[in-house]
Amino acid sequence: MSDLKSTGPQTMDAPTPEDALHEAKALNAEDHRDASGRLVTADGRSLKSSLNRALRLQKARAMMLIAPLLIFVLVTFIAPIASMLFRSVENEIVANTLPLTTDRLESWDATQGELPPEAVFQDLFFDLFLAAEAKEHTKLGTRLNYESTGVSSLFRQSGRRLDDIGEAYQDPLEDLNEAWKEGAVWFELMSGQGQTSDGVVTNQIDRFNKLTSSNLRGDIGFAPSEEIAALLPKTTRAYTAWAVFTVFEDEDVVAAEDPWEAVYAALALDLQSPGAADRIAAYDGPQAELLQEAAANLEILPEADFTAAFLDIDEDWGDINRWETFQVYSPKYTDGYFLNSVDLQKTPDGFEARPENERIYITLFQRTIFMSLVITGSCILLGYPVAWILANLPTRTANLLMILVLLPFWTSLLVRTSAWKVMLQQQGVINDVLVWLGLVGDGSRLVMINNQFGTIVAMTHILLPFMILPMYSVMQTIQPSYLRAAKSLGATNWTAFWRVYFPQSVPGIGAGSILVFILSIGYYITPEIVGGTKGVFISNRIAYHISSSLNWGLAAALGTILFVVVLVLYWAYDKIVGIDNVKLG
Amino acid sequence: MADASANGAFVEFERVQKSYDGETLVVKDLNLSMPKGEFLTMLGPSGSGKTTCLMMLAGFETATHGDIRLDGTSINNIPPHKRGIGMVFQNYALFPHMTIAENLAFPLEVRKIGKAKREEKVKRALDMVEMGDFGGRRPAQLSGGQQQRVALARALVFEPELVLMDEPLGALDKQLREKMQFEITDLAHRLGITTVYVTHDQTEALTMSDRVAVFDDGRIQQLAPPDQLYEEPENSFVAQFIGENNTLEGTIKEIKGGLALVQLDDGGLIDCKPINVSEIGQRTRVSIRPERVEFNPARLSDDAHTLKAEVLEFIYMGDIFRTRLRVAGNNDFIVKTRNAPGQVRLKPGEQVEIGWLPEDCRALDAA
Ligand SMILES: Nc1ncnc2c1ncn2[C@@H]1O[C@H](COP(=O)(O)OP(=O)(O)OP(=O)(O)O)[C@@H](O)[C@H]1O
Ligand SMILES: [Mg+2]
């Protein structure tokens, strides 16, 4: 290396970190420094950057090796988990389904003890009408039903009868002039003349996309003029919403179709709004006469009272508590699922405990953690001697016995768990034997299944290998000479074990415990089969919410809490035992 | 010191045999008797049963046959932790989860020695091996030599009467090794400890011990003080195993007057001292130490037999010259001569005549 240096600049084409380090040493001796006194390589680059470059290359190579797995894990594991966790706070469905209502409800003060104003009911009508047509209102009903039972049926029922509300305005208009039945007439009227207002169309397309969780774009073949949008704002909105729906959902042409009832209701509201008559009289766009005729015959339209109309559909709409729930769950993000997960509920002013009979999650969490600890404990007690024997047998025998330990892995989990059912049930093998031995009477057979005992027994059996394997591999590394040394120093067998062998096997116990505990805290199948009601875990509840009640938000919140609990325990373990004290082999 | 009388013996192996698998004997008929305070080394090639003997003595293996006695009591009747034998293991076996001080305190703790006394003893033991400043460290934070010294201190801290050491210096470099060799013997003699030391390094065995037991094939081949072992090997294994050695193969022609006349395979005749050969016509292996060979026959008696040799190589090694010769068909016949004034320096190709005193030349078994 030294003659290389004297003949010319060092080539650094393919440096390895070792090269760089050697370089550093060699240079120290000769002390190449730049103007600012930093060490430099022979060719004048800063030593630090040379070293970094060399290390970077190595890192890049390492990165390339793990890239396939990394991408796989990211796509199939991390991303779904992240989205699942996101669901635990996500609450956009309310605002997406009832955008106008939630907006207006914000300023309503529930504590006054009064129902929201008429305007809220009007917005609710239009929001719900579109949602019902798109058949999205039941989803929202299901969502809000988690928070306030009965909302689901309220929405379903109301959705069916919204048409009636609209017809109350449609029929008189059509009686007044047959032209109101014509889709083409409506199209001409709403298209108006002059400058078009594209903003309304874009807004409605966005609204439709959010409602149906789709991403449709494009020309709907309709745009209201700015003039008509100013003259009949509600009608424009309702008609555009209908037009978007007609094009995207029904795939029809706007001009050829009659608008739905909500548009007539909107028109009635526009006509009845103060000052409308004058402005309509001054209007001279297409179909102006038709509009002016309707404005002149306002008395044929019923007084707009949506509050009464909704109360007529279901008097539940008059329940302030319902409206409170709607208001509390309007924001796009909510802590409601988390509160629910710890048996709390939201009220307009903070949160409070759920009614006694609805509190289940805290108990479930406590039970899950407690039983996981018991399972971990019994795995340690049963596994330690086995691991010890395995580690102290000649390799051949140990390998043979290891097969017995691993045997459970070769049988389906379901089969093993079901086998426990056969063993433990009241007419099962163990009870039969006990009765046959006369240890228990035939009438007082032990209940060992569908309770916590059954879950603990079956799961201890299933998770035992996860305890034995790390303990075994750690114990294998403890040389027998330590025990011999202890004994030669005067320790009895017990002291030698307890003072010398056991402390060295703790990393194995730690690793096994972490494995078993984390596995059991999230275990599902076994508690489901042998746990009954008293022996199920939080994961069974999560599975229920994912596949039966479809309350994914709550499932996600429960999962997140479980995740955090595990992290906290892991952290505590690190503080108490030290995570570098964990050895898997 | 080496006069081991049967009844004054401190450690005794009597007709001990050991088999691990019931098929082969690892230790065959071992007889050994050590007086108190002796430093005895077991020397032998790998797998010759040294560790096994040590383990039997420490009580971690049981003898298949025979009796091992410690101070007159059969060792089978004393459980290991009551034997009071200090042991230094081949791999030190310092407890990794305890500090050095805790390691040393361990044997005192299990003996229920009070805290103050314990600390004092630990300190004294650490100072003895010059490790006083390292009490708070973990074994993994020490160098091999330091660990070794701690292991030694731990084996001595509870003042055992017998210390067993199994290749304690195996992992050390030459310099440290020599220093530790001295320290161990010094300590053992100062404290009057009886020591059984295992090694397969012959220099170590020769320099440290009062007596050396050369092991091979599960037997003690020779048990003798170092000088005797080197100068008077009793069989060709010992002769070859200890020190450098030239061998020549031949047949006994006659034995008389304490000397044997050996005819070498190429016809040459030499005089030797018969050691474990007795019959005329028996095959023998003659052993001569390289430093006992004489180039100058004039220095030998007139009737001494000499051999012709051809110089193959001359190596200058500073204090000595090393000359490789071809003698009676053996191309690896080494002669060492001191670099003294007037000493001849042979050149490759030269023909010389070599000879030696008959008592330096030992006729051994041909095995
Ligand atoms: N636990 C054991 N089970 C079976 N055979 C063993 C056992 N321990 C040692 N042996 C065998 O006994 C013989 C002697 O072994 P031992 O360990 O005593 O040799 P050693 O002289 O100490 O060798 P080294 O110098 O390599 O340490 C060897 O052949 C070895 O294979
Ligand atoms: Mg050995």
Side-chain angles (χ1 to χ4, degrees):
Chain A
M1 189 165 262
S2 58
D3 53 31
L4 259 179
K5 207 163 290 159
S6 56
T7 51
Q10 188 94 20
T11 48
M12 291 280 288
D13 286 334
T16 65
E18 271 117 322
D19 282 346
L21 285 171
H22 289 165
E23 201 86 330
K25 272 192 205 133
L27 281 165
N28 252 338
E30 296 183 18
D31 242 11
H32 288 239
R33 281 170 196 281
D34 66 3
S36 55
R38 279 175 315 178
L39 280 172
V40 295
T41 57
D43 59 351
R45 263 206 304 265
S46 128
L47 186 61
K48 256 218 166 81
S49 72
S50 286
L51 184 64
N52 283 345
R53 208 174 84 102
L55 290 177
R56 211 164 41 234
L57 272 172
Q58 208 186 33
K59 275 187 206 150
R61 223 171 319 164
M63 202 61 201
M64 256 159 56
L65 286 177
I66 61 164
L69 177 64
L70 197 68
I71 293 169
F72 176 77
V73 167
L74 268 178
V75 171
T76 62
F77 195 65
I78 309 264
I81 285 184
S83 93
M84 198 65 208
L85 295 185
F86 178 64
R87 272 174 194 278
S88 64
V89 290
E90 190 249 30
N91 189 43
E92 287 183 338
I93 185 169
V94 183
N96 281 346
T97 314
L98 306 175
L100 301 173
T101 319
T102 49
D103 258 10
R104 198 172 310 264
L105 208 52
E106 231 172 86
S107 55
W108 173 63
D109 185 0
T111 52
Q112 297 293 318
E114 282 172 25
L115 276 181
E118 164 73 9
V120 172
F121 282 93
Q122 287 182 10
D123 287 336
L124 178 67
F125 170 74
F126 292 111
D127 281 342
L128 209 52
F129 195 96
L130 179 62
E133 289 295 333
K135 303 199 173 50
E136 295 287 339
H137 66 307
T138 49
K139 285 188 197 162
L140 177 63
T142 314
R143 161 71 187 97
L144 289 175
N145 203 52
Y146 304 145
E147 317 299 345
S148 170
T149 340
V151 179
S152 182
S153 68
L154 178 64
F155 273 33
R156 221 175 319 112
Q157 275 208 13
S158 309
R160 277 199 295 270
R161 296 192 43 198
L162 289 174
D163 291 356
D164 298 349
I165 302 181
E167 273 165 19
Y169 304 96
Q170 184 181 12
D171 294 343
L173 277 170
E174 287 180 354
D175 289 344
L176 183 69
N177 191 331
E178 289 276 305
W180 286 116
K181 284 184 181 165
E182 297 293 322
V185 172
W186 269 101
F187 184 75
E188 212 179 322
L189 167 69
M190 296 313 292
S191 296
Q193 60 186 7
Q195 186 72 31
T196 56
S197 169
D198 296 317
V200 180
V201 180
T202 332
N203 277 346
Q204 288 306 323
I205 291 179
D206 284 349
R207 153 118 175 77
F208 177 82
N209 279 335
K210 276 187 183 164
L211 177 67
T212 57
S213 317
S214 47
N215 194 14
L216 299 167
R217 290 270 158 249
D219 186 14
I220 59 163
F222 166 77
S225 74
E226 279 196 346
E227 219 180 342
I228 204 86
L231 187 69
L232 305 171
K234 291 195 165 109
T235 318
T236 312
R237 208 170 54 202
Y239 186 83
T240 315
W242 166 81
V244 170
F245 186 87
T246 305
V247 173
F248 286 160
E249 188 76 19
D250 297 344
E251 297 177 357
D252 286 328
V253 179
V254 181
E257 298 297 317
D258 300 352
W260 57 36
E261 294 82 352
V263 178
Y264 294 89
L267 180 63
L269 285 176
D270 277 336
L271 292 175
Q272 286 171 352
S273 72
D278 297 344
R279 274 178 278 125
I280 289 171
Y283 182 66
D284 61 352
Q287 302 292 347
E289 306 86 43
L290 189 64
L291 203 56
Q292 281 149 5
E293 179 196 13
N297 293 292
L298 265 186
E299 69 283 353
I300 61 159
L301 293 172
E303 188 72 23
D305 189 352
F306 287 81
T307 315
F310 270 103
L311 283 173
D312 185 42
I313 295 175
D314 195 321
E315 59 192 18
D316 243 15
W317 288 111
D319 182 355
I320 294 199
N321 289 333
R322 292 263 188 250
W323 286 99
E324 251 175 42
T325 311
F326 297 161
Q327 188 186 37
V328 166
Y329 287 95
S330 298
K332 288 195 168 156
Y333 299 98
T334 179
D335 50 6
Y337 292 123
F338 279 100
L339 294 175
N340 196 346
S341 304
V342 291
D343 293 339
L344 296 175
Q345 63 187 0
K346 256 171 112 94
T347 59
D349 35 35
F351 35 82
E352 61 183 29
R354 280 185 178 261
E356 201 94 33
N357 57 353
E358 285 179 29
R359 288 181 211 160
I360 52 170
Y361 296 114
I362 292 276
T363 325
L364 266 179
F365 272 118
Q366 281 170 346
R367 182 196 294 165
T368 305
I369 292 173
F370 168 74
M371 283 175 66
S372 295
L373 286 174
V374 172
I375 289 164
T376 311
S378 39
C379 277
I380 295 176
L381 288 182
L382 293 175
Y384 197 92
V386 177
W388 189 82
I389 286 180
L390 284 177
N392 285 288
L393 280 176
T395 326
R396 274 187 52 141
T397 331
N399 284 342
L400 209 69
L401 290 180
M402 186 54 89
I403 292 177
L404 293 183
V405 172
L406 294 177
L407 203 61
F409 281 139
W410 302 350
T411 334
S412 151
L413 180 64
L414 273 171
V415 173
R416 273 180 284 155
T417 308
S418 310
W420 276 112
K421 230 177 158 118
V422 175
M423 294 288 286
L424 295 176
Q425 65 196 355
Q426 281 196 289
Q427 301 302 322
V429 179
I430 291 179
N431 265 313
D432 282 350
V433 170
L434 289 179
V435 169
W436 181 71
L437 288 175
L439 290 177
V440 293
D442 203 9
S444 57
R445 283 169 175 259
L446 302 176
V447 184
M448 294 184 291
I449 197 133
N450 295 334
N451 56 15
Q452 300 197 0
F453 180 81
T455 307
I456 289 174
V457 169
M459 280 185 59
T460 301
H461 168 243
I462 283 159
L463 295 176
L464 202 51
F466 292 100
M467 184 64 85
I468 294 179
L469 287 177
M471 288 207 286
Y472 168 63
S473 71
V474 166
M475 286 180 185
Q476 248 188 338
T477 64
I478 306 176
Q479 289 156 4
S481 63
Y482 288 126
L483 272 183
R484 292 180 163 184
K487 283 188 216 164
S488 82
L489 292 171
T492 57
N493 283 341
W494 169 250
T495 318
F497 167 76
W498 182 244
R499 295 281 315 276
V500 174
Y501 195 87
F502 181 77
Q504 294 189 64
S505 67
V506 163
I509 301 178
S513 302
I514 286 194
L515 262 180
V516 168
F517 183 78
I518 290 179
L519 278 173
S520 68
I521 209 174
Y523 228 71
Y524 161 67
I525 295 184
T526 306
E528 183 74 24
I529 296 178
V530 299
T533 46
K534 285 271 182 294
V536 294
F537 280 15
I538 192 73
S539 44
N540 300 96
R541 204 65 201 166
I542 295 179
Y544 164 78
H545 283 307
I546 293 234
S547 53
S548 301
S549 82
L550 299 182
N551 189 353
W552 285 26
L554 183 57
L558 290 171
T560 309
I561 292 180
L562 198 57
F563 181 58
V564 170
V565 166
V566 169
L567 284 187
V568 167
L569 287 170
Y570 192 76
W571 173 83
Y573 182 90
D574 184 30
K575 282 280 148 206
I576 298 165
V577 188
I579 214 65
D580 36 339
N581 240 336
V582 167
K583 254 199 295 192
L584 287 169
Chain B
M1 186 163 277
D3 54 350
S5 61
N7 38 8
F10 183 56
V11 177
E12 250 185 319
F13 284 77
E14 195 186 317
R15 317 215 52 185
V16 171
Q17 294 186 328
K18 170 73 185 174
S19 171
Y20 283 107
D21 51 10
E23 282 166 20
T24 50
L25 281 173
V26 170
V27 174
K28 306 166 185 162
D29 193 26
L30 181 77
N31 292 289
L32 180 70
S33 150
M34 278 177 78
K36 225 179 178 118
E38 188 182 39
F39 195 115
L40 183 131
T41 299
M42 292 179 173
L43 174 68
S46 192
S48 54
K50 306 180 298 284
T51 302
T52 307
C53 285
L54 221 54
M55 287 302 156
M56 287 193 291
L57 184 51
F60 299 124
E61 298 288 354
T62 42
T64 318
H65 176 82
D67 199 14
I68 302 171
R69 280 188 294 274
L70 184 62
D71 214 2
T73 326
S74 178
I75 209 142
N76 295 333
N77 302 333
I78 325 170
H81 66 273
K82 293 243 176 80
R83 287 176 198 183
I85 300 176
M87 182 137 187
V88 181
F89 287 81
Q90 205 158 354
N91 56 2
Y92 313 141
L94 296 176
F95 306 138
H97 58 290
M98 298 184 190
T99 64
I100 300 308
E102 285 165 355
N103 261 286
L104 262 74
F106 183 81
L108 305 175
E109 260 175 70
V110 298
R111 286 182 170 73
K112 311 238 168 8
I113 291 174
K115 189 155 189 283
K117 190 105 183 279
R118 210 159 66 205
E119 276 169 7
E120 184 209 310
K121 283 192 174 202
V122 168
K123 187 174 175 324
R124 197 139 39 92
L126 279 178
D127 286 343
M128 179 179 71
V129 293
E130 291 170 30
M131 292 289 294
D133 298 336
F134 294 86
R137 292 217 199 161
R138 292 282 163 103
Q141 295 167 315
L142 298 185
S143 76
Q146 291 168 332
Q147 290 185 26
Q148 200 282 320
R149 280 188 274 171
V150 173
L152 187 63
R154 190 180 65 176
L156 296 177
V157 72
F158 60 99
E159 290 157 18
E161 287 182 285
L162 176 62
V163 177
L164 312 180
M165 303 189 198
D166 193 355
E167 298 192 43
L169 307 183
L172 307 188
D173 67 56
K174 189 166 173 292
Q175 222 163 349
L176 193 58
R177 221 179 148 96
E178 281 167 5
K179 181 163 173 279
M180 288 307 304
Q181 285 170 6
F182 171 74
E183 282 180 22
I184 290 174
T185 37
D186 186 49
L187 260 175
H189 286 142
R190 223 170 52 216
L191 305 178
I193 303 165
T194 314
T195 313
V196 180
Y197 189 95
V198 167
T199 179
H200 50 216
D201 178 337
Q202 40 145 323
T203 338
E204 200 165 287
L206 294 181
T207 52
M208 295 174 78
S209 331
D210 295 328
R211 281 197 302 164
V212 179
V214 180
F215 270 67
D216 186 42
D217 195 23
R219 282 179 214 278
I220 295 186
Q221 301 290 336
Q222 187 171 0
L223 174 61
D227 51 345
Q228 204 180 337
L229 205 62
Y230 184 81
E231 283 162 30
E232 297 162 21
E234 276 171 8
N235 56 38
S236 56
F237 175 80
V238 178
Q240 293 223 282
F241 194 72
I242 309 284
E244 210 169 1
N245 188 52
N246 291 311
T247 55
L248 297 170
E249 308 272 343
T251 321
I252 307 284
K253 266 203 94 74
E254 61 173 73
I255 299 180
K256 84 166 179 251
L259 285 184
L261 184 66
V262 173
Q263 177 159 42
L264 300 179
D265 291 351
D266 74 335
L269 285 174
I270 46 172
D271 286 318
C272 313
K273 197 172 166 188
I275 305 298
N276 50 2
V277 287
S278 50
E279 290 160 44
I280 312 277
Q282 198 181 347
R283 292 289 296 167
T284 181
R285 182 175 284 166
V286 180
S287 132
I288 312 111
R289 295 289 180 198
E291 66 276 13
R292 299 292 167 98
V293 179
E294 189 59 72
F295 283 125
N296 191 346
R299 294 207 204 138
L300 300 169
S301 61
D302 294 342
D303 58 346
H305 292 285
T306 56
L307 294 175
K308 288 202 183 339
E310 184 192 346
V311 179
L312 295 178
E313 200 177 1
F314 175 84
I315 304 166
Y316 178 85
M317 294 179 76
D319 55 343
I320 58 163
F321 303 150
R322 200 179 151 87
T323 318
R324 188 158 68 84
L325 305 170
R326 182 191 342 242
V327 178
N330 179 356
N331 286 344
D332 279 316
F333 198 96
I334 305 292
V335 178
K336 284 187 199 162
T337 43
R338 225 156 41 85
N339 183 359
Q343 182 65 270
V344 285
R345 302 187 183 192
L346 298 168
K347 289 179 193 60
E350 245 180 291
Q351 298 288 333
V352 291
E353 205 158 317
I354 55 166
W356 45 77
L357 296 174
E359 52 269 38
D360 287 336
C361 171
R362 299 167 71 83
L364 301 165
D365 54 297

